[in-house]
Every structure is written in C-alpha cells, then in structure tokens.
Amino acid sequence: MRCPSCGKLDDKVIESRTMANGESIRRRRECLCCGYRFTSYERIEEKPFMVIKRDGRRQPFEREKLAKGIERALEKRPVATNMIDQLVVEIEDEAYKIGKSSREIATSDIGEIVLSRLNTIDKVAYIRFASVYKHFNNLDEFIEEVNKVGGEH
C-alpha cells in the first residue's frame, strides 16, 4: 500500500477491524519510512452495487459521490475530517445492508440515511444537504424544514 504522505510502499498494519457484518475490513497502517498513519479498507469485489436514480436509471454506487456530497454539506463546519470519513463508511455500510438482497438501493433511501446522520452531527450541514436533496419549490418549504430541524414545529 502506497503511503499518502511520502509515496513509499513500506508499511505495517497496526490494527484491523471487521466492518459491515464482515463484508469489509478497516486497516490502520503506519508507513515504515516516514511514520505517517493512514487507513485502508478491503472489500470483496462482487457484481456492482447499483443505485436507482429518481428517473429509474441504474448506476453503479460511487462512494466518492457520497463522500463529496457529505463534504460539501460539512464544508467550513466544526467537524473533524476523520469524523467525515467515518460517517461515509457508516452510511455506505447501512446502504449495503438495506440493498443487500437485490444489490441495489434508491437514491431517496441513501438521501434519507445521509439526512438522519447529518441531523445528529450538524444542523447546518443537514439544511445544506436537504436544500439540494429535497428540491424545495419555494421559500416556505425551506423555512418549514429549518423549523423542523430547529425544534420549532
């Protein structure tokens, strides 16, 4: 595994942890050259896990897209980078559990998982994500959502 800090290929595994009911392994590694610590994940490669878009099209699940959306929602918010990484892993794990039998999940299901997680972590990030995900038609719908999150019904 190439070190993201110095680029060398010499590292050792410090800790391994099974994730997603044994479907993936998280490994903490340390570069033997520079001492930098980083995380890698191992998964069994099977037929692709598909996402059903709103218009009915199916596309392969892209972890990077999920991570990018969450990072955008949490941009300039007081949330640690490793917390964001963990959040992405947890959401991905939950999505795989929901769509395990059919190997697919609707984007609406993923959106709801993200919203429920963001709601517990950061209310501003929740509103940012909801404003894109829920496609508010007018200001009143947006204000109603903000009031729900703020606890004012």
Side-chain angles (χ1 to χ4, degrees), residues 8-35:
K8 302 283 192 221
L9 292 172
D10 296 323
D11 71 76
K12 68 177 178 180
V13 174
I14 300 168
E15 173 195 9
S16 292
R17 183 172 293 168
T18 302
M19 313 265 311
N21 296 330
E23 308 236 345
S24 66
I25 298 174
R26 174 184 177 262
R27 298 193 193 278
R28 287 292 296 155
R29 298 174 177 271
E30 182 175 13
C31 178
L32 296 175
C33 298
C34 71

Side-chain angles (χ1 to χ4, degrees), residues 1-132:
M1 181 83 35
R2 184 175 307 279
C3 173
S5 180
C6 72
K8 302 283 192 221
L9 292 172
D10 296 323
D11 71 76
K12 68 177 178 180
V13 174
I14 300 168
E15 173 195 9
S16 292
R17 183 172 293 168
T18 302
M19 313 265 311
N21 296 330
E23 308 236 345
S24 66
I25 298 174
R26 174 184 177 262
R27 298 193 193 278
R28 287 292 296 155
R29 298 174 177 271
E30 182 175 13
C31 178
L32 296 175
C33 298
C34 71
Y36 183 76
R37 291 184 174 201
F38 57 100
T39 303
S40 65
Y41 295 91
E42 285 181 32
R43 289 180 183 75
I44 296 171
E45 193 167 340
E46 297 176 356
K47 72 178 194 180
F49 188 73
M50 302 300 280
V51 175
I52 306 167
K53 307 297 274 181
R54 290 179 197 248
D55 64 5
R57 289 179 298 128
R58 285 172 167 69
Q59 295 180 340
F61 176 84
E62 293 181 45
R63 184 177 199 281
E64 297 76 30
K65 267 182 150 176
L66 173 64
K68 209 176 286 181
I70 291 169
E71 287 168 3
R72 251 185 257 124
L74 288 164
E75 190 174 3
K76 297 183 182 178
R77 299 300 302 154
V79 178
T81 303
N82 64 342
M83 174 75 158
I84 295 171
D85 294 340
Q86 185 62 33
L87 181 64
V88 171
V89 169
E90 289 172 5
I91 292 168
E92 182 180 24
D93 287 350
E94 193 170 335
Y96 276 97
K97 285 178 198 169
I98 291 170
K100 186 175 180 114
S101 61
S102 63
R103 304 277 315 143
E104 60 186 29
I105 187 169
T107 55
S108 59
D109 291 337
I110 295 173
E112 291 301 324
I113 296 168
V114 172
L115 285 173
S116 71
R117 296 297 172 100
L118 287 177
N119 192 26
T120 61
I121 293 172
D122 188 281
K123 304 296 187 208
V124 172
Y126 172 92
I127 291 298
R128 286 177 178 171
F129 191 86
S131 68
V132 173

